[in-house]
Amino acid sequence: MKDRADAPARDRYAVAGHPVEHSRSPSIHARFAALTGEPVDYGRLPCPLDGFAATVRAFAASTCAGLGPARGCNVTVPFKFEAVTLAAGLTPRAALAQAANTLRFDAEGWQADNTDGAGLVRDITVHAGVALQGARLLLVGAGGAASGVLGPLLEAGPQRLVLANRSPDKARTLVDRHAALAAQHGVALHAAPLDACGDGFDIVVNATAASLAGAAVPVSGRVLRPGALALDMMYGPAAQGFLHWAAAHGAHGRDGLGMLVEQAAESFRFWRGMRPPTDAVLAELRAAVAGEST
């Protein structure tokens, strides 16, 4: 057994955003590090609203006694669009989204990725056990969250995907940017206003900030077919209103915890070259969140 002094210095990572005080990412990545044996130290990086770039650059250049260099960071609201401007290179999914939630501080130039969509797809298909292939899917919202997941959702091959937003023009802009990808995968992709987006969808994903703000669900219950999957990207108390709405309309409600863990695993792979196991981490996180709400 190696002496502790011989162990490699832990590379530093953090979640950057405003706010980040209640982020679950440090505990998730601590479990990933333990499960994989990777030398990772992961913390929080609060950024002022007008100082995201400066804060991240300072973190990348910083040193910390007893630890290794800063190797990357996750990016959360409201900086995902700004994050792509800091990178020398973008993965195809970050380029399509024009938003990034993961930065890697490579010596030859920072690299950016967006792992949100891959995390959502894996949560729906693996943890929820619902097929995206051939499904009728409604994605509500056209901001940064929707931008990050639309591409991977199209690649999963739903029959039809409707993007509904309060501002139809914003939805159409996002649809136009993804039109070629939708055609490549044989998906009928449309933009619609919130009050005329259709009904009877197999899967409804809420990518708006309505739950976070405590507002009502922004679409009618008619969008849900009986037994549909209704997923809110929020979790904990913020998601409860959406989950109650889903149950009241005969749907299976699901919060964003699975997506959170799975997108984190994708970020870990982008940084470390390996994907950590997620089942136990998600189960532990669900138990922790449930304990806090009782």
Side-chain angles (χ1 to χ4, degrees), residues 63-290:
T63 59
C64 187
L67 294 174
R71 297 292 191 187
C73 70
N74 283 127
V75 180
T76 187
V77 292
F79 302 119
K80 292 183 181 183
F81 289 119
E82 188 176 352
V84 297
T85 68
L86 302 184
L90 308 177
T91 63
R93 56 194 181 188
L96 185 61
Q98 296 183 8
N101 74 334
T102 309
L103 291 171
R104 191 178 67 212
F105 304 149
D106 291 359
E108 62 273 19
W110 292 7
Q111 302 298 307
D113 193 10
N114 195 311
T115 68
D116 283 337
L120 175 62
V121 167
R122 183 171 170 83
D123 183 54
I124 290 173
T125 58
V126 176
H127 296 302
V130 174
L132 281 162
Q133 181 75 37
R136 299 181 71 247
L137 193 156
L138 174 66
L139 179 60
V140 185
S147 297
V149 303
L150 181 54
L153 286 173
L154 291 171
E155 290 172 342
Q159 174 197 8
R160 175 182 174 85
L161 194 157
V162 175
L163 182 68
N165 193 58
R166 193 173 307 278
S167 167
D169 287 345
K170 192 173 181 180
R172 277 191 289 271
T173 297
L174 195 53
V175 163
D176 290 345
R177 195 163 79 235
H178 288 76
L181 183 66
Q184 178 185 342
H185 291 276
V187 182
L189 176 63
H190 304 281
L194 293 173
D195 58 357
C197 55
D199 53 27
F201 290 92
D202 303 306
I203 303 169
V204 174
V205 176
N206 182 24
T208 73
S211 296
L212 195 60
V217 177
V219 290
S220 163
R222 294 191 304 272
V223 302
L224 297 164
R225 70 159 177 78
L229 173 67
L231 187 149
D232 195 320
M233 290 188 184
M234 298 296 114
Y235 59 86
Q240 289 308 305
F242 181 89
L243 298 179
H244 292 152
W245 170 83
H249 292 91
H252 299 293
R254 187 169 182 83
D255 66 12
L257 276 180
M259 176 184 171
L260 177 68
V261 171
E262 292 297 340
Q263 65 80 24
E266 286 289 314
S267 294
F268 195 93
R269 175 162 59 183
F270 186 62
W271 292 325
R272 310 301 299 182
M274 66 174 67
R275 198 180 200 281
T278 56
D279 288 354
V281 179
L282 177 55
E284 292 163 7
L285 183 59
R286 283 208 179 280
V289 171

